[in-house]
Amino acid sequence: MNLKSSLTQVSALVLTLTCGSVFADGNRYNLERFYHSEISAAEAFQLMQHRGGPGVPHGHHRGVKPVLVDVRSMEEYAAGHPDSSYNIPYPRVCSGCDAQTPEVFYWEVYKAVRGNTDREIFTLCRTGSRSVSGGNILANPSEYGIDGPAFTQVRNIWEGFVGQYKYAYEGGTVMLDTNGEPFALDLNNNGVMDDDSADVFQERNDANPDKDGWRNFQKLPWTTEIQRRFAYMGDTAQYQELTLTPVD
């Protein structure tokens, strides 16, 4: 067994054991956080499957299914998203469109949960950055000039939908390879670091088994089907206007 294979297995075990605890006070980009906490993609999926469950502090209602808010653009959402996730884009509605304001985003989520600001909400983006911004808006609307109540149970999905490469650590420091670059882990154990590729639309390079997101290394269920009730409610017609080329 080579070094990368061993490190991959160790990394996967550590990820399973520590997500939600070690990372609870921050996010993978070390951005300012107003929302409740981080959550792994795997735990978010399990809670959605079982309509909630134990382990979430006050405000969690057992038996009430959490709401997953996918803040990625319509193009990204159309190329693949978790089933039953709401596409409420932030900060942009679609490529080339004017930036969406925090206030528009806040009130779209508010409508989606029918004003229940204690509803458990998971925010999701490609790699776990834009979803931090979305979560912060919901949890601290006054910071953005929004006259609305704060959402109390917002959790950001750490890895995102596509994810990033994972790296090997030694003594708390990222290991470097012979070229001085971070030592990336071969998560799918095929002996090479896979590149991003397209498997839904030619314009979307979202497939990469070595990235740690919802659809890749996590291998959680996802779909390309767009249901009107979960589409961006501000302009659902835009989904039909996307110019994307299916992969044969």
Side-chain angles (χ1 to χ4, degrees), residues 103-132:
E103 187 170 17
V104 170
F105 173 77
Y106 172 90
W107 289 114
E108 287 291 343
V109 176
Y110 187 90
K111 286 190 295 183
V113 299
R114 300 181 180 180
N116 182 2
T117 53
D118 286 332
R119 185 77 175 268
E120 192 173 356
I121 294 176
F122 304 147
T123 54
L124 175 79
C125 68
R126 181 182 175 88
T127 64
S129 176
R130 282 172 285 171
S131 53
V132 168

Side-chain angles (χ1 to χ4, degrees), residues 11-165:
S11 175
L13 177 60
V14 170
L15 179 67
T16 301
L17 294 176
T18 64
C19 271
S21 54
V22 172
F23 303 138
D25 294 328
N27 49 67
R28 79 186 313 169
Y29 288 93
N30 293 316
L31 298 172
E32 186 175 30
R33 176 175 67 82
F34 297 130
Y35 53 87
H36 186 281
S37 58
E38 298 291 312
I39 189 171
S40 71
E43 184 181 1
F45 172 72
Q46 288 297 321
L47 288 175
M48 292 182 69
Q49 289 295 107
H50 297 292
R51 302 187 66 81
V56 178
H58 70 89
H60 176 82
H61 302 291
R62 192 175 184 85
V64 178
K65 185 176 181 179
V67 171
L68 197 161
V69 176
D70 189 328
V71 307
R72 296 176 300 150
S73 67
M74 292 181 177
E75 178 184 291
E76 293 172 282
Y77 186 79
H81 54 270
D83 191 28
S84 300
S85 60
Y86 285 88
N87 182 211
I88 305 178
Y90 186 80
R92 59 194 177 94
V93 174
C94 63
S95 299
C97 293
D98 292 335
Q100 185 179 23
T101 67
E103 187 170 17
V104 170
F105 173 77
Y106 172 90
W107 289 114
E108 287 291 343
V109 176
Y110 187 90
K111 286 190 295 183
V113 299
R114 300 181 180 180
N116 182 2
T117 53
D118 286 332
R119 185 77 175 268
E120 192 173 356
I121 294 176
F122 304 147
T123 54
L124 175 79
C125 68
R126 181 182 175 88
T127 64
S129 176
R130 282 172 285 171
S131 53
V132 168
S133 298
N136 282 338
I137 291 168
L138 299 177
N140 192 9
S142 62
E143 179 76 12
Y144 302 87
I146 301 169
D147 184 17
F151 286 80
T152 62
Q153 295 299 314
V154 179
R155 308 183 73 185
N156 176 60
I157 296 179
W158 175 274
E159 303 93 347
F161 185 69
V162 173
Q164 294 186 16
Y165 291 116

